[in-house]
Amino acid sequence: RPVAEVATLARPFFERDGFSAEAADSAWLEAVVGAVRSETELLADLPVRARDFLGGAPQLEGEAAGALKDAKAPEVVAAFEGELVSLGATALTREWVEAAQKRVAEKTGAKGKALFMPLRAILTGKTHGPELKQILPILGGARTLERLRGLKSQAGIS
């Protein structure tokens, strides 16, 4: 089914779970449903999956904490934080996320797993889930920076 249709059907479940203010915006709800629907089978599960990456800093899972112990991780995290700070009030887009990841790779020399795992861990608290270019535009710049800083604190990265 098209994302818009699934989002319409899922709206009552989001509202029941307390997402009513944000769920009123159809574009926001469609973006969230698009990001998490491949990980769920039931409409009622969509808000539960959405809760994993919406809001403030989540808890850092064990695997994600391990990814942040990589020697390059603090440098990658700092470079991405710098990208977020320089973004200012500009809206996050999929294209910005992809370009920022490339700039971080150029600045740090990190590639592949050494680049993507620390970023995913520091922004989601997990090592699996929807792509960052899906999640971050939904969160927005301020919330993404808040998450990054909250998870840095949990990981003991200064």
Side-chain angles (χ1 to χ4, degrees), residues 121-146:
I122 206 68
L123 296 166
T124 68
K126 300 173 186 263
T127 56
H128 298 88
E131 293 182 50
L132 294 179
K133 65 185 178 183
Q134 287 182 294
I135 297 169
L136 301 187
I138 294 169
L139 291 173
R143 198 186 283 165
T144 298
L145 188 57
E146 174 190 332

Side-chain angles (χ1 to χ4, degrees), residues 37-141:
R37 79 181 195 162
S38 66
E39 301 173 33
T40 61
E41 292 184 26
L42 302 173
L43 291 171
D45 292 339
L46 289 168
V48 174
R49 293 298 304 151
R51 201 175 300 127
D52 286 347
F53 67 89
L54 298 173
Q59 288 300 306
L60 190 61
E61 292 184 351
E63 265 187 73
L68 292 170
K69 291 184 194 282
D70 182 79
K72 277 266 188 216
E75 187 181 357
V76 168
V77 169
F80 196 82
E81 184 174 11
E83 291 291 328
L84 283 169
V85 169
S86 69
L87 177 67
T90 307
L92 281 176
T93 63
R94 293 171 72 96
E95 295 77 20
W96 182 89
V97 174
E98 290 172 352
Q101 288 174 328
K102 286 179 185 173
R103 287 189 297 271
V104 169
E106 290 168 6
K107 288 177 187 175
T108 64
K111 299 184 236 181
K113 192 174 179 179
L115 173 69
F116 295 109
M117 280 303 181
L119 289 179
R120 172 171 292 289
I122 206 68
L123 296 166
T124 68
K126 300 173 186 263
T127 56
H128 298 88
E131 293 182 50
L132 294 179
K133 65 185 178 183
Q134 287 182 294
I135 297 169
L136 301 187
I138 294 169
L139 291 173

